[in-house]
Amino acid sequence: MPLRHTVDFLLYDWLKVQHLQSRARFADHSRDTFDAVLDTCERIARDKFAPFNRLVDIEEPRVEGDQVILPQATHEAYKAYAASGMLSAAQDYGVGGMQLPYTVEAAANAFFAMASVSIGSGLLTSGNANLLMAHGTDMQKQVFALNEFSGRFAGTMCLSEPQAGSSLSDITTRATPDGAGFESDPLGPRYRLKGHKMWISSGEHELSENIIHLVLAKIPDDQGQLVPGVKGISLFIVPKKLVNTDGQLTGERNDVALAGLNHKCGWRGTTNTLLNFGEGKYPVRCDSGRGLDGAGSGAVGYLVGQPGEGLQCMFHMMNEARIGVGLAATMLGFAGFYASLDYAKHRPQGRPLGAGGKDAQAPQVRIIEHADIKRMLLAQKAYCEGALALGLYCARLVDEQHTGSAEDADASRLLLEVLTPIVKSFPSEWCLEANSLAIQIHGGYGYTRDFPVEQYWRDNRLNMIHEGTHGIQGMDLLGRKVLMEEGKGVKLLGARMMATAHKAQAFPDLADNAKALTAALHKVTQATQSAWSTGQPQEALANAVPYLQAFGHLVLAWIWLDVSASCRGENSPQQTGRQAAAHYFYRYELPKIDAWLNVVGNRDMTCANLSEEAF
Ligand SMILES: Cc1cc2nc3c(=O)[nH]c(=O)nc-3n(C[C@H](O)[C@H](O)[C@H](O)COP(=O)(O)OP(=O)(O)OC[C@H]3O[C@@H](n4cnc5c(N)ncnc54)[C@H](O)[C@@H]3O)c2cc1C
């Protein structure tokens, strides 16, 4: 089934996004305007992204002098994406946005992720600008965010450092006030930053007039010491080139230097950089700005929000960013699924087993006729279509949180807290597995660079690592999210699952799945309680990733049942395919949770207690 058909089905038949028109914010919208956005994005993705996906993998970013060189196709894709208005799609009309529901924005971005996930860095730029719209001053919005929305400036997120990835509390980038009157700079309290930021995506390029880095750094205390923990972290705007209050470049290069490019396994169309802030390569305003530490050097940065609230500001965008990562992983899964489906329909190999064995005289069959190939195709369909449904469901919760009644908004907030680790981790793990199955279907050809599927796998392998690794997601879910507000979020989610099971029981073909969902919910609830029964975090969290996997499978089973029970369309190949994918998930996938939950519920310490010498 073509992607657009699936997207339309999920948006309109299942999630009924057209009903959002009744909300004041979306009053000018209708299915027609949503379709127009989807059409445009589908077209740009087809024309400007997809044809160059292999090119950007082969022609990796390279450094020439002070510049990072990217293929011309990347420049064209960047321009086309910015011109589409997608960078500010969800923003107010007043700032040039479309006031598009986030659900539609997320669906429209899916086309780009499938066409070429790494050619564009739009999500970083819009995430950066959206953050400034939420936490910046009016001047910061005007000068930085609005120029990012237009594509004139691009954005980054600078959190990680060589010694601080998962553990951001250990960052050592320092920010010191930039001389007397530092607080009265119209662009925001002005600081000087010194430190190293590792893994910064789109940290250097020539795609835009300027690059706006959002940087986490610590302001030293009166003794010049960095405050331990996340409480000491603040957020700064550090432009690559300094600008005035009109947003015009002043001609001064800020002291942000490219130390090197990282050479990645996949996702090679996007530069990934080690950046040095304030090392003195580009000394800036050294005579006018004298830092309180007496140095008068460092990269110029402007504080966003209050000192010490940097991580909170950064995490403002977390739900959307993690939905974005989940959807990117999902779409890479789809790309492999469609490629392997096409291959399986054309590759002749082998003969069917008849009652009397194989008939060597008979022509070979296409591999799609083999049961094992169908198994691998159906697995991909179940992972990817299920993950897309989950991603759009979560995006719909974001819209509800922003525009629903107070009660619905709060319920959506709670559900998002619990579902965010799942919407990020499930596609990262299982749509990557889908990519592996796509390679398997291609046999030896899949293992070569002459076919696209190995690139999809390499591109997708990132998603279990960035935006919080799998391990960190597991601990977030079991250590925080299921416990928060006395388990209110997880209870709410359980109630939604039970409502779906109740609805599904009315249909004979879904009754078994409804029972299986109820039983699985019970098992996850029991395992959660057993994990925490001794109150020892080391024991409870020793198997946080198996818990994440079981919880993810429970959530996907619920999503599949809800899709099956809500959309009882007439008999069509699409409907048959969806029902088969749902049944596949219940018969082949959901039973896996028993093994995962056993070690969780028993607080199994096989791994945790093993001494290093024994490995
Ligand atoms: C291609 C790419 C792009 C990126 N883009 C950006 C970007 O734009 N901006 C940015 O700021 N960062 C970016 N990152 C950084 C990314 O977010 C980090 O790589 C990630 O947070 C993990 O940090 P780390 O690499 O230091 O690994 P570590 O934190 O050292 O983790 C190594 C392993 O240890 C595990 N681990 C760590 N701590 C614990 C613990 N307490 N308990 C159990 N297990 C633990 C992890 O799960 C992981 O498996 C990017 C990374 C890559 C690879």
Side-chain angles (χ1 to χ4, degrees):
M1 192 186 345
L3 174 63
R4 180 62 187 270
H5 190 288
T6 305
V7 168
D8 285 350
F9 166 78
L10 291 172
L11 286 180
Y12 301 123
D13 294 333
W14 184 50
L15 293 173
K16 312 257 187 280
V17 286
Q18 62 277 29
H19 294 173
L20 283 170
Q21 193 184 4
S22 62
R23 309 258 164 100
R25 183 169 180 78
F26 307 126
D28 294 340
H29 283 293
S30 62
R31 179 161 181 173
D32 287 347
T33 62
F34 296 158
D35 280 346
V37 172
L38 296 172
D39 290 346
T40 304
C41 291
E42 205 180 357
R43 177 177 47 74
I44 299 173
R46 188 181 56 234
D47 296 346
K48 301 284 183 187
F49 282 55
F52 309 105
N53 193 41
R54 183 55 110 185
L55 177 91
V56 298
D57 186 57
I58 294 166
E59 282 188 32
E60 275 191 84
R62 64 178 197 282
V63 182
E64 276 183 19
D66 264 2
Q67 297 191 338
V68 172
I69 307 299
L70 291 163
Q72 185 55 31
T74 307
H75 290 256
E76 302 298 330
Y78 179 87
K79 264 189 240 150
Y81 187 79
S84 74
M86 284 302 287
L87 287 166
S88 57
Q91 288 293 331
D92 295 356
Y93 296 133
V95 296
M98 295 188 235
Q99 293 194 186
L100 199 64
Y102 177 63
T103 318
V104 180
E105 180 188 356
N109 274 323
F111 294 109
F112 298 105
M114 190 169 97
S116 180
V117 78
S118 75
I119 203 170
S121 53
L123 291 185
L124 269 174
T125 298
S126 55
N128 174 314
N130 288 341
L131 185 152
L132 291 176
M133 292 305 286
H135 297 285
T137 62
D138 286 348
M139 179 65 83
Q140 289 173 339
K141 292 177 196 173
Q142 192 70 31
V143 170
F144 299 109
L146 265 51
N147 280 309
E148 291 186 76
F149 286 140
S150 72
R152 197 179 146 225
F153 299 167
T156 73
M157 300 281 188
C158 304
L159 292 74
S160 310
E161 297 182 4
Q163 81 297 344
S166 302
S167 181
L168 287 174
S169 59
D170 292 305
I171 63 166
T172 56
T173 298
R174 299 169 82 91
T176 50
D178 190 22
F182 77 96
E183 275 174 309
S184 49
D185 194 307
L187 294 177
R190 196 181 61 245
Y191 285 73
R192 292 294 184 135
L193 276 77
K194 289 186 180 182
H196 312 286
K197 289 290 174 182
M198 182 57 164
W199 302 120
I200 306 310
S201 295
S202 298
E204 186 58 277
H205 56 73
E206 301 297 317
L207 297 171
S208 53
E209 228 178 283
N210 203 356
I211 302 176
I212 309 305
H213 303 290
L214 277 179
V215 183
L216 290 183
K218 289 189 172 181
I219 303 170
D221 63 16
D222 295 343
Q223 281 76 47
Q225 302 299 312
L226 297 184
V227 180
V230 292
K231 290 204 178 75
I233 300 178
S234 305
L235 180 64
F236 301 87
I237 298 168
V238 184
K240 171 180 162 183
K241 298 172 185 169
L242 295 188
V243 297
N244 63 22
T245 52
D246 293 329
Q248 297 307 317
L249 305 188
T250 63
E252 299 157 288
R253 168 86 201 230
N254 202 0
D255 195 5
V256 184
L258 174 72
L261 294 178
N262 293 308
H263 301 286
K264 292 170 289 176
C265 160
W267 213 291
R268 294 183 183 168
T270 306
T271 54
N272 191 270
T273 57
L274 171 60
L275 296 179
N276 288 346
F277 289 80
E279 67 170 359
K281 182 163 183 189
Y282 303 103
V284 58
R285 294 186 186 171
C286 291
D287 42 1
S288 59
R290 179 148 293 278
L292 293 187
D293 62 355
S297 62
V300 173
Y302 307 98
L303 182 71
V304 180
Q306 294 303 310
E309 290 181 3
L311 210 54
Q312 265 165 274
C313 293
M314 211 46 135
F315 280 175
H316 171 91
M317 297 309 300
M318 194 180 67
N319 287 343
E320 276 111 302
R322 291 189 172 166
I323 294 170
V325 169
L327 282 172
T330 301
M331 300 324 296
L332 281 163
F334 266 105
F337 170 50
Y338 288 135
S340 60
L341 177 59
D342 185 58
Y343 185 84
K345 284 180 180 171
H346 295 99
R347 168 75 174 167
Q349 198 69 198
R351 293 168 179 81
L353 276 175
K358 285 183 192 167
D359 175 4
Q361 302 296 322
Q364 296 199 88
V365 295
R366 294 163 309 128
I367 60 173
I368 197 167
E369 296 177 49
H370 299 308
D372 190 50
I373 298 288
K374 288 189 183 181
R375 175 189 64 80
M376 291 190 278
L377 289 169
L378 201 50
Q380 291 180 68
K381 188 175 168 72
Y383 297 146
C384 299
E385 288 188 14
L388 180 60
L390 173 64
L392 295 178
Y393 182 88
C394 288
R396 182 67 186 78
L397 289 177
V398 171
D399 282 324
E400 202 58 31
Q401 196 184 355
H402 292 158
T403 63
S405 67
E407 196 185 333
D408 289 346
D410 196 52
S412 302
R413 172 190 67 81
L414 275 165
L415 286 168
L416 274 171
E417 292 281 8
V418 181
L419 288 175
T420 297
I422 303 301
V423 75
K424 195 270 176 185
S425 69
F426 182 92
S428 301
E429 181 169 5
W430 298 100
C431 297
L432 177 71
E433 174 61 16
N435 289 150
S436 180
L437 293 172
I439 294 174
Q440 194 68 21
I441 287 173
H442 281 74
Y445 300 93
Y447 195 62
T448 69
R449 300 190 73 186
D450 300 324
F451 285 79
V453 282
E454 59 82 36
Q455 183 186 346
Y456 300 140
W457 187 90
R458 283 187 291 107
D459 286 347
N460 218 350
R461 190 60 188 81
L462 171 62
N463 290 314
M464 282 172 79
I465 296 171
H466 70 161
E467 275 294 332
T469 63
H470 227 48
I472 298 299
Q473 300 298 332
M475 288 191 292
D476 183 42
L477 179 68
L478 183 54
R480 218 166 68 79
K481 297 298 177 62
V482 299
L483 305 177
M484 66 182 284
E485 299 180 38
E486 286 155 2
K488 222 167 143 190
V490 85
K491 279 183 204 139
L492 193 57
L493 181 63
R496 295 226 172 166
M497 289 181 180
M498 291 311 295
T500 296
H502 185 70
K503 185 166 56 177
Q505 251 150 14
F507 305 108
D509 57 322
L510 300 182
D512 283 351
N513 293 354
K515 265 192 225 136
L517 181 72
T518 309
L521 174 62
H522 182 67
K523 287 176 193 172
V524 169
T525 308
Q526 293 278 81
T528 314
Q529 285 162 1
S530 303
W532 281 108
S533 60
T534 59
Q536 300 295 327
Q538 313 89 296
E539 291 183 6
L541 300 181
N543 296 294
V545 165
Y547 182 80
L548 182 76
Q549 292 170 308
F551 204 107
H553 267 53
L554 169 69
V555 168
L556 261 287
W558 162 56
I559 291 286
W560 268 121
L561 191 63
D562 204 71
V563 168
S564 312
S566 307
C567 310
R568 310 287 299 169
E570 83 280 12
N571 224 349
S572 66
Q574 289 86 353
Q575 179 72 0
T576 306
R578 266 194 298 274
Q579 298 299 357
H583 286 317
Y584 173 89
F585 204 86
Y586 273 85
R587 291 167 193 168
Y588 288 72
E589 295 292 330
L590 191 59
K592 290 178 182 170
I593 71 168
D594 288 337
W596 290 320
L597 292 177
N598 269 345
V599 292
V600 175
N602 296 335
R603 297 179 303 284
D604 192 296
M605 299 301 272
T606 307
C607 306
N609 284 347
L610 192 62
S611 68
E612 285 184 34
E613 300 72 37
F615 280 99

